[in-house]
Amino acid sequence: MPLDAVPFDLAGTWALEAAIASISKAPVIGEVRSVSRGRLLVTITADGQGWRQHQEVCTFGMEGGSVLARTTLPPAWVMAMPPRSYAVTLSADAEGWVYDADTGLELIGYDGSRGPLPSRGDEPHVVDADGDGHPGATVLIEVPGFGVGQIYVANRGHSRLVGRAVSADRIEGNIVMVEMAQATLGASHKMFDFTPVTRPDPRRSTFAMWRVDADTSCSAL
């Protein structure tokens, strides 16, 4: 749709809060419901007949767990998530304006140009994404009576942001997980060396965007 047919301009600086919910089943630990929650700094620019959205991850963490274990993401995980750019569209329907952004494929812990999602840490296309000397990216898991262990993972994800323009300055909607896959490449203890069966939880996967000042930095979010 031509930009001049839309009653407002998306171009500008935005804050984006995203929550990606999932349900995992793993040996010993059982079912785990968790939410990966992040704050991102977004710049939207006009691009011919549409817009492009440029994002930088400012904060990212994991909430939830089970009575037997709790997982957390170290700060270095954020450093493993590079800036990204993708197309954004607005389309009209009977209720207003639909926002749709395909964020594309995101790989953490391996080089997708050299092979598929790896299963072990010694495969040649595995990379040390967070620079801690271990394969893939490190997740911390805390088990009562045991302490904190490390799990080294590779992650493959593809998501879409689908929502509505609530106003010219706010967009809300759901995160549609086109693909969600993770493999455990190794662990600090054999009791953690397994790959859980994970599926997305669409009902709890949401996002919200709101305009912020042009000079806003990640530290302000």
Side-chain angles (χ1 to χ4, degrees), residues 40 46 58 108 126 137 193:
L40 301 86
C58 301
I108 296 177
V126 171
D193 196 0

Side-chain angles (χ1 to χ4, degrees), residues 65-84:
S66 72
V67 295
L68 296 178
R70 182 172 297 276
T71 56
T72 58
L73 303 178
W77 185 283
V78 177
M79 302 301 295
M81 304 176 74
R84 304 170 71 191

Side-chain angles (χ1 to χ4, degrees), residues 177-194:
M177 293 305 301
V178 180
E179 184 175 1
M180 175 185 282
Q182 182 172 293
T184 297
L185 307 177
S188 61
H189 191 282
K190 63 181 181 180
M191 72 177 292
F192 303 130
D193 196 0
F194 57 82

